[in-house]
């Protein structure tokens, strides 16, 4: 779905799931009836608080109720999608999380500390120049130790064993 701006939180809501309930009340020829679990993928800039765009063919405006729920990812592992990452720049997106990730840090072996990554408006996490000790091929930097903070405050550690669209 595309989520309204007030609840999109500058893309921190990307990747979270909602239960959408429709009673068929509204206008148009294709009513929303019943419950569905949906995945937040985009921003609906014209939607008001509590509204969603289901991105389905059809017309109408339907009254719906939304409730945040854990994503039904089963026993899958976290995944990391990389975009434009190289020896000097890291840009990744966390996937298969049950709840949104609101903080992400990467371990800095040279300084022995966690360095916070910056969240971008397109749903990725960024770390610019200075991440690595010297510019070498990205695969030489793995495994990368990651610390993820969930919207509920729970912190977990994970590691990325390969750069690319791979499972951690």
């Amino acid at each position: 779905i595309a989520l309204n701006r007030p609840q999109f939180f500058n893309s921190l809501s990307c990747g979270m799931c909602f239960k959408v309930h429709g009673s068929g009340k509204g206008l148009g020829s294709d009513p929303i009836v019943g419950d569905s679990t949906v995945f937040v993928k985009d921003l609906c800039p014209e939607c008001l608080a509590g509204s969603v765009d289901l991105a389905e063919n059809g017309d109408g405006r339907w009254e719906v109720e939304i409730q945040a729920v854990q994503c039904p990812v089963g026993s899958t592992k976290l995944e990391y999608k990389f975009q434009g990452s190289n020896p000097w720049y890291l840009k990744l997106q966390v996937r298969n999380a049950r709840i949104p990730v609101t903080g992400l840090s990467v371990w800095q072996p040279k300084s022995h500390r966690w360095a916070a990554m910056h969240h971008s408006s397109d749903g990725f996490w960024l770390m610019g120049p200075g991440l690595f000790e010297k510019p070498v091929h990205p695969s030489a930097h793995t495994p990368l130790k990651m610390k993820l903070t969930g919207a509920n405050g729970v912190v977990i550690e994970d590691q990325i064993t390969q750069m690319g669209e791979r499972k951690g």
Side-chain angles (χ1 to χ4, degrees), residues 110-125:
K110 186 176 181 180
S111 60
H112 300 287
R113 66 177 182 88
W114 290 102
M117 297 182 74
H118 170 73
H119 192 260
S120 65
S121 62
D122 63 352
F124 282 80
W125 293 89

Side-chain angles (χ1 to χ4, degrees), residues 90-112:
L90 186 61
K91 181 176 183 180
L92 63 87
Q93 190 175 62
V94 180
R95 298 202 171 167
N96 284 349
R98 285 177 172 63
I99 61 171
V101 173
T102 57
L104 186 63
S105 299
V106 63
W107 179 251
Q108 302 291 296
K110 186 176 181 180
S111 60
H112 300 287

